Amino acid sequence: MTAETKSDKIVSLEEQYQLATYKKMPVVAERGEGVWLFTSDGERYLDLYGGHAVAGTGHCHPHVVNAIKNQADRLLFYSNLVYSEARARAAEKLVSVAPESLSKAFFCNSGTEANENAMRMARMATGRENVITFGGGFHGRTADAISATFLGKYREIGKPNVPGHLKAEFGDIESVRAVADDSVAAIMLEPIQSMAGIKMAEPSFYRALRQLCDARGIVLIYDEVQTGVGRTGEWFFAGSDAGDGVAPDIVTLAKALGSGIPVGACLVTEKISSQIKENDLGTTFGGGMMAMAAVTATLEAMENDEMLANVRAVEAHLRERLKEVEQVVAVHGKGFLLGLEFADKAKPVHEALLDQKIITGTSSDPRVLRLLPPFCLQKDEVDLFVDALQKVCAQS
Ligand SMILES: Cc1ncc(COP(=O)(O)O)c(C=O)c1O
């Protein structure tokens, strides 16, 4: 009989006491540093999944850790009923990196909450109820957001669904025109559909959406919970060339925004913010000092370390090296939101890579392996990954 390790003990405790709602990898995370995750048994994993797209600045970036520690010494929390330097600085910093038209921030705690508030603002601003979202988009698990999620089983889990949701096909502007009547408050989309297997539309699609929204008085919402805060090699998909420079009326954010401290946000135009009155939106923890310190430090760390340029350079290197792997038939996405398409199922590749101590992600497209690494990933770490991928593919 082999001796029980520290990791074994933790696994059995968690399985005994935590609701079994997640399919977990056999990894017990203890410590992180940049792109590396260390387990309780002292093993080291290359994290190309970034803790579920959250560790944008890498695990435990020292600038972020210091900011959180300093804030913790001063004040852990006070709500939005008082002013705070931490909140003022975070809002200013976030708005300063956003497209110019997005001039105000509303802070909350998660991606789903940001989307719920974005849809609410659109309904308030237009006096209409319906929201168009797209097949394959994922927007969260609270009632309104899951009802907006036309992907796999999610709407089914979320039953009874909230009324006021209409579906269109991603990339197909005619399917949007067909449902965009004067009952529609908003069109909301993941500009790159992540969970669906990293699906992007043509730049002209985003432009056509903007034109349709302008013509019919509809609010355009980009759910940038995954694409935002640097993941595509730009601060946001909004305003980027991949989206033909289109700026939506609302951008929602979470994931990488706080480097792991829970925080979500909506960035909105003056036109939307002018329609929102006192008490229309609110949340106890949104805008709390710890989260705000993490937001400012996250954005500063990205600037200090020139992470956007790094994402672009390392993406180019990765794409070049992936040409050597014949089993990879296509590479989808942008920056560090990439989908590697295989001719066959991707899950065995994900599992074999895990055996090689490399963490990747799957998606709802069985042939697509997702990479969502920290923005500090370097070329030599990409080489480690591609070498391991070649080995794994040769063995299968
Ligand atoms: C695009 C997108 N929107 C919304 C969400 C929901 O975010 P959260 O889990 O923080 O509620 C997610 C989470 O995976 C997401 O990927």
Side-chain angles (χ1 to χ4, degrees):
M1 213 175 85
T2 53
E4 196 184 36
T5 63
K6 186 175 175 194
S7 290
D8 294 335
K9 284 188 196 137
I10 294 166
V11 168
S12 62
L13 264 183
E14 208 171 305
E15 288 192 346
Q16 186 177 350
Y17 292 110
Q18 201 201 14
L19 209 62
T21 57
Y22 298 97
K23 170 110 189 77
K24 293 179 197 260
M25 294 179 275
V27 174
V28 180
E30 186 172 83
R31 180 171 79 75
E33 198 178 320
V35 296
W36 297 99
L37 188 69
F38 297 84
T39 71
S40 335
D41 292 335
E43 291 176 322
R44 185 176 89 146
Y45 282 79
L46 178 61
D47 184 10
L48 300 184
Y49 196 53
H52 223 108
V54 167
T57 54
H59 294 291
C60 298
H61 192 290
H63 184 67
V64 180
V65 171
N66 277 334
I68 294 168
K69 282 182 177 165
N70 289 339
Q71 183 60 50
D73 278 340
R74 290 202 298 273
L75 183 63
L76 290 176
F77 182 77
Y78 208 98
S79 73
N80 285 283
L81 294 189
V82 300
Y83 291 92
S84 130
E85 185 185 356
R87 191 182 305 120
R89 287 186 61 215
E92 181 190 32
K93 187 76 197 161
L94 185 56
V95 165
S96 80
V97 295
E100 216 183 322
S101 54
L102 299 169
S103 56
K104 281 206 161 54
F106 171 76
F107 289 110
C108 53
N109 308 285
S110 64
T112 197
E113 198 188 347
N115 288 336
E116 297 258 340
N117 282 292
M119 289 188 280
R120 182 168 301 166
M121 281 191 265
R123 288 175 174 132
M124 284 172 164
T126 59
R128 304 173 184 172
E129 285 195 356
N130 285 330
V131 175
I132 299 173
T133 49
F134 294 87
F138 180 81
H139 301 292
R141 289 169 180 267
T142 47
D144 209 9
I146 208 166
S147 302
T149 293
F150 293 95
L151 174 71
K153 62 182 185 313
Y154 289 103
R155 269 175 69 87
E156 197 54 38
I157 306 171
K159 286 215 159 138
N161 294 137
V162 172
H165 290 280
L166 304 170
K167 182 185 173 194
E169 295 314 313
F170 189 60
D172 174 3
I173 193 66
E174 288 314 321
S175 76
V176 192
R177 283 203 185 102
V179 284
D181 59 22
D182 60 12
S183 71
V184 173
I187 297 174
M188 181 165 78
L189 64 151
E190 272 185 276
I192 302 176
Q193 293 188 333
S194 180
M195 189 108 85
I198 315 290
K199 306 258 189 298
M200 262 172 99
E202 292 299 320
S204 58
F205 175 66
Y206 306 97
R207 176 60 55 196
L209 282 179
R210 180 70 274 176
Q211 285 164 347
L212 184 65
C213 286
D214 290 342
R216 300 193 185 173
I218 296 170
V219 174
L220 183 60
I221 305 171
Y222 278 7
D223 173 346
E224 295 222 43
V225 167
Q226 290 222 13
T227 55
V229 202
R231 180 141 307 277
T232 63
E234 311 280 346
W235 281 113
F236 302 100
F237 188 92
S240 72
D241 287 348
D244 198 21
V246 163
D249 304 294
I250 306 180
V251 162
T252 62
L253 303 168
K255 299 257 191 220
L257 183 59
S259 294
I261 299 294
V263 57
C266 299
L267 288 171
V268 307
T269 59
E270 205 61 51
K271 192 167 167 200
I272 300 287
S273 65
S274 66
Q275 313 272 341
I276 306 300
K277 302 178 301 297
E278 230 173 78
N279 228 9
D280 279 351
L281 312 174
T283 161
T284 298
F285 287 117
M289 283 83 216
M290 295 297 286
M292 296 297 96
V295 167
T296 306
T298 294
L299 302 176
E300 285 172 353
M302 289 177 59
E303 279 178 342
N304 296 346
D305 297 358
E306 300 183 354
M307 289 193 197
L308 299 182
N310 185 64
V311 169
R312 295 194 291 266
V314 176
E315 177 202 2
H317 179 70
L318 175 58
R319 282 181 177 273
E320 203 48 44
R321 287 267 358 242
L322 283 171
K323 290 179 185 161
E324 298 164 28
V325 189
E326 64 182 70
Q327 288 82 353
V328 175
V329 296
V331 181
H332 304 284
K334 191 167 169 357
F336 281 176
L337 181 59
L338 294 176
L340 277 48
E341 185 181 331
F342 292 84
D344 216 333
K345 287 202 161 67
K347 195 151 187 275
V349 179
H350 162 78
E351 283 164 1
L353 284 168
L354 203 55
D355 288 341
Q356 302 289 316
K357 310 265 177 284
I358 297 178
I359 303 177
T360 56
T362 53
S363 72
S364 66
D365 182 334
R367 296 186 306 134
V368 173
L369 187 79
R370 272 190 303 168
L371 304 183
L372 308 150
F375 311 146
C376 53
L377 183 75
Q378 297 296 304
K379 290 181 185 170
D380 56 340
E381 292 147 352
V382 163
D383 292 339
L384 267 177
F385 163 63
V386 178
D387 293 348
L389 185 62
Q390 277 173 318
K391 191 168 139 193
V392 159
C393 288
Q395 281 165 357
S396 61

